[in-house]
C-alpha cells in the first residue's frame, strides 16, 4: 500500500512527516476531506481569520498530488 502525507498550508505550513498508508488515491482524497472537516471543527478560530488555507495530498516522494481548499465555518 502506498503512503500518503497530508500537509496543511496557509499562513504557516504544517507538514505530515509520518503520513498514512492507504489503499489508493481515492482513499487519500476521502481521508483529506475527513481531516479538513475535523480541523475546521476543532479549530474554528484559526480558519475564521479570513486567511486562505489548503490541505495538500502528497505522495511518498513529497510530490503534491492534489490540493483541497479548507473552507472556514459559516
Amino acid at each position: 500500500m502506498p503512503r500518503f502525507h497530508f500537509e496543511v498550508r496557509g499562513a504557516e505550513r504544517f507538514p505530515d512527516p509520518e503520513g498514512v498508508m492507504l489503499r489508493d488515491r481515492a482513499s487519500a482524497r476521502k481521508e483529506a476531506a475527513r481531516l479538513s472537516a475535523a480541523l475546521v471543527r476543532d479549530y474554528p478560530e484559526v480558519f475564521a481569520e479570513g486567511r486562505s488555507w489548503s490541505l495538500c495530498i502528497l505522495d511518498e516522494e513529497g510530490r503534491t498530488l492534489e490540493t483541497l481548499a479548507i473552507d472556514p465555518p459559516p
Side-chain angles (χ1 to χ4, degrees), residues 2-9 13-22 24-25 28-29 32 35 54-68:
R3 182 174 301 276
F4 295 90
H5 300 266
F6 302 93
E7 183 173 282
V8 177
R9 296 177 184 168
R13 203 170 177 160
F14 300 94
D16 172 20
E18 190 172 319
V20 63
M21 294 185 79
L22 296 166
D24 53 25
R25 194 164 166 173
R29 195 177 300 116
L35 181 57
S54 60
L55 182 72
C56 299
I57 303 171
L58 299 104
D59 66 12
E60 293 181 270
E61 287 78 40
R63 293 180 296 231
T64 301
L65 302 173
E66 293 186 42
T67 301
L68 290 79

Side-chain angles (χ1 to χ4, degrees), residues 24-43:
D24 53 25
R25 194 164 166 173
S27 297
R29 195 177 300 116
K30 289 177 186 175
E31 179 65 14
R34 186 200 63 73
L35 181 57
S36 294
L39 287 169
V40 171
R41 181 191 67 234
D42 294 346
Y43 304 100

